[in-house]
């Protein structure tokens, strides 16, 4: 498939509360073809959309996601911390997000975001839910273990390894994770490392790019997509 070039990071977290259905809806209205969000397990094993292992920064809740049942998470306000206009925006389940992506025609980069110690279980459960979705998607993770388990659970799903700076042993780490693409931080990207990856024919996508000029520089280097909190900076024709 042709992958999107501009991917709404955390569903477009500068414009709407991050990792929410409101973000998915706005991304679609802006003309995005692709979105990224973070999937973590609640205490009862239900995968939900949230970035942090704790609830305080983005929701009305307190404590750890891994210690909170999904029924309690469903009662939280995941919108007001962004802006009062988004009060009562729910913290969505992964299934709800995947269903909405399919309905809106959005390609989804599901980042497997394990709480500490839950790498294998999160990889397994997120891959199982992703495999049941009808829309197009890709799995990524900073955890090679999570990706390996995801590959055994759903080998048909494409996978990407997330890194900050590209490590010297990027190729071995990708092989270990069973990944076909590399997603790296834009801030820590060196031209030499990018060239090494790209000349090996490995797709490279970069996070988090919130200025058009930075994206243009990365595209000129051969980077194939950027993750951005500001998908509104691009016209739909350039997505
Ligand atoms: O998937 C790209 C990006 O989301 C990785 O960083 O911390 O925003 O999940 P983070
Ligand atoms: Mg992420």
């Amino acid at each position: 498939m042709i992958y999107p070039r501009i991917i709404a990071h955390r569903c477009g977290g500068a414009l709407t509360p991050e990792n929410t259905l409101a973000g998915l809806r706005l991304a679609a209205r802006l003309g995005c073809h692709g979105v990224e969000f973070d999937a973590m397990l609640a205490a009862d094993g239900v995968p939900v959309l949230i970035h942090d292992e704790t609830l305080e920064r983005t929701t009305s809740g307190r404590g750890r996601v891994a210690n909170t049942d999904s029924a309690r998470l469903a009662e939280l306000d995941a919108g007001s911390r962004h802006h009062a206009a988004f009060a009562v925006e729910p913290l969505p389940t992964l299934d709800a997000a995947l269903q909405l992506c399919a309905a809106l025609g959005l390609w989804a980069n599901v980042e497997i975001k394990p709480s500490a110690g839950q790498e294998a279980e999160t990889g397994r459960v997120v891959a199982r839910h992703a495999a049941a979705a009808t829309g197009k998607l890709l799995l990524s993770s900073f955890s090679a273990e999570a990706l390996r388990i995801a590959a055994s659970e759903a080998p048909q799903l494409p996978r990407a390894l997330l890194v900050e700076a590209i490590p010297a042993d990027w190729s071995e780490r990708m092989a270990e994770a069973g990944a076909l693409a590399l997603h790296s931080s834009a801030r820590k990207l060196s031209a030499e490392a990018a060239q090494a990856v790209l000349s090996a024919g490995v797709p490279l996508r970069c996070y988090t790019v919130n200025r058009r000029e930075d994206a243009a520089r990365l595209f000129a280097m051969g980077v194939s997509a950027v993750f951005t909190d500001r998908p509104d900076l691009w016209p739909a024709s350039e997505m």
Side-chain angles (χ1 to χ4, degrees), residues 204-215:
L204 179 60
R205 307 183 186 101
C206 289
Y207 63 88
T208 303
V209 181
N210 291 335
R211 300 193 320 175
R212 281 181 61 106
E213 54 269 39
D214 293 337

Side-chain angles (χ1 to χ4, degrees), residues 7-13 16-25 27-28 33-40 47-52 57 91-114 122 126-127 129-131 133-142 160 162 183 207-208 227-229:
I7 301 168
H9 177 240
R10 305 186 195 174
C11 307
T16 51
E18 67 182 53
N19 285 315
T20 64
L21 302 184
L24 296 180
R25 292 191 189 96
H33 302 297
V35 294
E36 184 264 3
F37 44 77
D38 306 297
M40 191 179 292
V48 297
L49 263 56
I50 190 162
H51 179 275
D52 299 2
R57 181 178 63 86
L91 190 163
T93 62
L94 173 60
D95 287 349
L98 290 171
Q99 274 166 26
L100 184 57
C101 285
L104 295 171
L106 289 170
W107 170 93
N109 178 166
V110 181
E111 184 189 336
I112 305 168
K113 193 69 114 180
T122 309
V126 170
H129 284 254
T134 54
K136 291 193 170 51
L137 56 84
L138 168 146
L139 299 176
S140 68
S141 189
F142 286 102
L162 271 161
H183 292 181
Y207 63 88
T208 303
F227 299 87
T228 182
D229 299 316

Side-chain angles (χ1 to χ4, degrees), residues 59-223:
T59 81
S60 55
R62 299 173 67 85
R64 296 178 63 77
V65 179
N67 294 341
T68 311
D69 279 345
S70 57
R72 169 70 188 132
L73 293 175
E75 295 169 352
L76 299 179
D77 172 354
S80 291
R81 293 253 187 274
H82 179 83
H83 194 281
F86 291 98
V88 306
E89 178 66 28
L91 190 163
T93 62
L94 173 60
D95 287 349
L98 290 171
Q99 274 166 26
L100 184 57
C101 285
L104 295 171
L106 289 170
W107 170 93
N109 178 166
V110 181
E111 184 189 336
I112 305 168
K113 193 69 114 180
S115 287
Q118 299 197 345
E119 287 77 9
E121 188 58 11
T122 309
R124 185 176 359 264
V125 172
V126 170
R128 192 179 305 149
H129 284 254
T134 54
K136 291 193 170 51
L137 56 84
L138 168 146
L139 299 176
S140 68
S141 189
F142 286 102
S143 165
E145 183 184 4
L147 282 177
R148 250 194 339 270
I149 301 279
S152 60
E153 182 72 32
Q156 73 279 17
L157 296 179
R159 290 172 304 280
L161 178 66
L162 271 161
V163 293
E164 291 182 1
I166 295 176
D169 61 348
W170 60 270
S171 181
E172 291 81 0
R173 288 183 52 182
M174 284 183 66
E176 185 200 343
L180 295 177
L182 201 58
H183 292 181
S184 85
S185 160
R187 204 164 44 83
K188 297 188 176 171
L189 185 67
S190 73
E192 295 73 26
Q195 206 43 52
V197 171
L198 293 166
S199 61
V202 171
L204 179 60
R205 307 183 186 101
C206 289
Y207 63 88
T208 303
V209 181
N210 291 335
R211 300 193 320 175
R212 281 181 61 106
E213 54 269 39
D214 293 337
R217 183 178 50 80
L218 292 162
F219 289 138
M221 283 168 70
V223 167

